[in-house]
Amino acid sequence: MSDHSPNSSVWSLAGNDPFAGAGIQADMRAAAGTRTTLRTLITSFTAQNDYGLLAAEAMHRTWLDQQWSALAAMETPAAYKVGLLLQAETVRWLADRLDPKVPLILDPVFATSSGSSFFDPDLLSSLHEYLFHRVALLTPNRPEAEAIVGFKLSSDAEVRRAAVQIRALGVKAVLIKGGHNEGERLLDYFDDGGQTFFLEAIRQPGHYRGTGCTLSTSLACYLAQGLELRDAVVAAHSYVQAAIAEAH
């Protein structure tokens, strides 16, 4: 890491989506929408579209190193946003390079609806061991939260219990997203150990991809602009809902 003083940029470490619905491309739109400078470090190449993930390959460590060096020679970011990491090796590589003074927003991806064959089976355990204790905010959806805690989240009480267990793994705060639950009311749940709250939205018609990327990136952008974490969570939630409404 360079000794340049911190600025207001966000570094996004995520996958490349050729259809531009998610990943780095969604992150770039979120940063533009929140008027924040975004730097990009591609962690994987994917072949995907609105129907699913056809293929994915992790970026070779040499290229990870070169991208990181190019950015670190210029600046220290105000926040990190981390998305798709396919391999445990990439998790360990990242853990060795993070500046502990810079908040890390981790949007975990363990599998997709089209299957998990592209993911290292040790990915979740590596996140536990190397990254969770560095995370300012973890933003799993309900299936991802279920994979972390090992039980189904079929009630608000179970969501609350899951958040407590996830924080016990070392993350400072967690936002469990409710987009995968049934019904019209979508509830995201925030817990930082000091304050908890639900954020409610009404399900909009249509299929929207990249909402998790958009939420985590806009949240990192609001942190980079100086908002406190709780305020950034509320602002990012509102930003995503406005983006979905505008897409109609």
Side-chain angles (χ1 to χ4, degrees), residues 50-243:
D50 289 349
Y51 299 116
L53 179 65
L54 284 69
E57 182 175 347
M59 180 70 71
H60 191 277
R61 179 165 178 157
T62 300
W63 274 103
L64 293 173
D65 283 334
Q66 295 290 358
Q67 291 179 89
W68 188 277
S69 296
L71 297 180
M74 299 299 295
E75 65 186 27
T76 299
Y80 301 112
K81 179 268 170 145
V82 175
L84 181 64
L85 302 176
L86 292 171
Q87 294 184 343
E89 178 185 356
T90 307
V91 174
R92 295 190 293 270
W93 170 86
L94 177 59
D96 288 339
R97 283 157 181 77
L98 293 170
D99 185 330
K101 299 185 297 294
V102 177
L104 167 63
I105 308 302
L106 176 60
D107 185 29
V109 183
F110 309 135
T112 68
S113 57
S114 58
S116 59
S117 59
F118 305 114
F119 295 82
D120 190 325
D122 296 329
L123 181 60
L124 179 52
S125 61
S126 294
L127 290 170
H128 280 182
E129 183 174 358
Y130 296 102
L131 273 192
F132 276 8
H133 67 284
R134 309 287 289 274
V135 171
L137 180 68
L138 190 73
T139 62
N141 58 35
R142 288 204 177 185
E144 290 158 352
E146 289 169 351
I148 295 171
V149 299
F151 59 84
K152 294 288 289 183
L153 307 186
S154 55
S155 69
D156 291 350
E158 287 165 341
V159 171
R160 292 188 181 97
R161 181 160 68 96
V164 171
Q165 290 196 18
I166 290 172
R167 285 195 300 100
L169 297 173
V171 304
K172 295 180 179 64
V174 60
L175 178 67
I176 299 177
K177 298 173 292 188
H180 284 71
N181 59 313
E182 301 292 332
E184 282 193 357
R185 294 173 66 244
L186 304 179
L187 294 175
D188 293 355
Y189 180 68
F190 174 80
D191 182 354
D192 65 359
Q195 183 175 1
T196 65
F197 52 81
F198 281 98
L199 291 166
E200 181 177 354
I202 301 301
R203 188 185 301 277
Q204 301 293 328
H207 173 71
Y208 303 95
R209 198 162 61 88
T211 54
C213 305
T214 302
L215 177 68
S216 55
T217 300
S218 59
L219 208 157
C221 289
Y222 288 128
L223 284 180
Q225 293 173 15
L227 269 65
E228 296 296 326
L229 180 61
R230 296 168 187 169
D231 294 332
V233 166
V234 175
H237 181 269
S238 297
Y239 177 83
V240 171
Q241 297 308 312

Side-chain angles (χ1 to χ4, degrees), residues 1-11 36-37 39 71-80 99-103 223-226:
M1 181 63 66
S2 75
D3 60 357
H4 290 232
S5 59
N7 62 20
S8 59
S9 70
V10 171
W11 291 11
T36 308
T37 299
R39 315 300 185 189
L71 297 180
M74 299 299 295
E75 65 186 27
T76 299
Y80 301 112
D99 185 330
K101 299 185 297 294
V102 177
L223 284 180
Q225 293 173 15

